[in-house]
Amino acid sequence: MIDDKDPGFGLPRGATGFRRPKDDSLPETDLRAFRGALYAAARAAGGKVGKVEEQAYPRTFHTASAVEDTGRRIILCHAHQPWIAFAQMRRDWYSEEFVAPPPWAGTFMHAGFLVLDREQLTAPLADVNTSDLSQGEWREIRSYGITTLGGVIFNAWD
């Protein structure tokens, strides 16, 4: 669990996908690096890559699947930060529908991505360092009733 003494995971400004018009553009996760890591992960799992969907407004993430002997895994890649999460099914937004990373998730870490686990993603925002988020980002978070880290970063604000 993340606490004030050890802020652990912190959300940088723009992690929500929102920015003010006068702000610089949000960073973009290297989609080519994500695809490369995805194919390496599928090989490590003894499987293959399924459908890959690039981020499209209003989603804040790319979605892909890997098919292995034990079934299909949904992989989420944040569009603005090198963050990876896993879910059971494809959705346009997530709040608590995350699953534990599979054993081959380390492939993404070796490619420079941060793999977030279910405990981190379902953590209440009160347990996350949100000090860099703008007032506008907080306004949107409150208006949508988002209460978890995963809900803030893997969303489709509309």
Side-chain angles (χ1 to χ4, degrees), residues 36-47:
L38 178 63
Y39 278 90
R43 281 190 303 276

Side-chain angles (χ1 to χ4, degrees), residues 123-147:
L125 286 177
D127 293 348
V128 177
N129 181 351
T130 59
S131 61
D132 287 340
L133 295 183
S134 70
Q135 289 180 354
E137 287 176 295
W138 270 111
R139 191 172 23 260
E140 295 297 337
I141 289 167
R142 285 187 201 102
S143 75
Y144 283 90
I146 303 299
T147 60

Side-chain angles (χ1 to χ4, degrees), residues 35-115:
R35 284 180 184 268
L38 178 63
Y39 278 90
R43 281 190 303 276
K48 63 181 183 173
V49 172
K51 184 176 180 183
V52 178
E53 290 180 57
E54 291 186 31
Q55 178 270 339
Y57 179 83
R59 279 186 305 135
T60 59
F61 56 94
H62 309 290
T63 307
S65 62
V67 182
E68 57 180 324
D69 290 341
T70 59
R72 184 175 65 134
R73 305 278 185 150
I74 302 300
I75 301 111
L76 311 174
C77 176
H78 195 270
H80 307 295
Q81 298 293 328
W83 299 329
I84 299 290
F86 293 86
Q88 284 188 312
M89 58 191 331
R90 286 181 188 266
R91 298 178 54 134
D92 284 332
W93 56 270
Y94 295 84
S95 58
E96 295 189 10
E97 302 80 10
F98 302 98
V99 297
W104 43 265
T107 307
F108 289 100
M109 292 187 292
H110 293 297
F113 291 89
L114 175 62
V115 175

Side-chain angles (χ1 to χ4, degrees), residues 27-44:
E28 291 188 23
T29 300
D30 184 346
L31 190 55
R32 187 174 174 166
F34 170 60
R35 284 180 184 268
L38 178 63
Y39 278 90
R43 281 190 303 276

